[in-house]
């Protein structure tokens, strides 16, 4: 599966949550301005209720982009570092036993 950025995923869902109700309301024959207002309110409510995790993910990514002070911890590099430390520790133990 290809990785889709969370901002793109969130944006597409937000647009769909506006466009689908708008299309439905326009097909029912409501006035275009009333359809747009109602679709905007429906989209706002749906995105607030259903897209909480996506919204948090986008907010987290934006925060990390704006505050690069803290280095993000990569689990793979953390595992590699712990393995390297364990190898160095066993190597130093062998050297101390041989003396």
């Amino acid at each position: 599966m290809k990785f889709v950025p969370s901002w793109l995923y969130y944006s597409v869902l937000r647009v769909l949550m506006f466009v689908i109700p708008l299309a439905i309301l326009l097909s029912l024959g409501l006035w275009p301005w009333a359809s747009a207002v109602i679709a905007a309110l429906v989209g706002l409510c749906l995105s607030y209720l259903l897209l909480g995790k996506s919204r948090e993910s986008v907010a987290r990514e934006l925060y990390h982009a704006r505050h690069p002070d803290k280095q993000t911890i990569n689990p793979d590099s953390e595992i590699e570092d712990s393995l390297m430390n364990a190898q160095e520790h066993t190597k130093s133990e062998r050297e101390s036993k041989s003396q």
Side-chain angles (χ1 to χ4, degrees), residues 45-88:
C45 292
L46 286 175
S47 66
Y48 182 75
L49 292 172
L50 302 176
L51 298 179
K53 290 181 182 179
S54 296
R55 184 174 51 250
E56 289 294 324
S57 176
V58 170
R60 194 176 312 109
E61 286 180 10
L62 287 173
Y63 179 82
H64 288 302
R66 296 281 296 168
H67 300 91
D69 305 329
K70 297 180 181 179
Q71 183 180 10
T72 56
I73 299 173
N74 185 353
D76 290 336
S77 62
E78 191 172 307
I79 292 170
E80 290 171 359
D81 291 344
S82 65
L83 289 174
M84 293 294 287
N85 290 338
Q87 288 175 350
E88 289 175 8

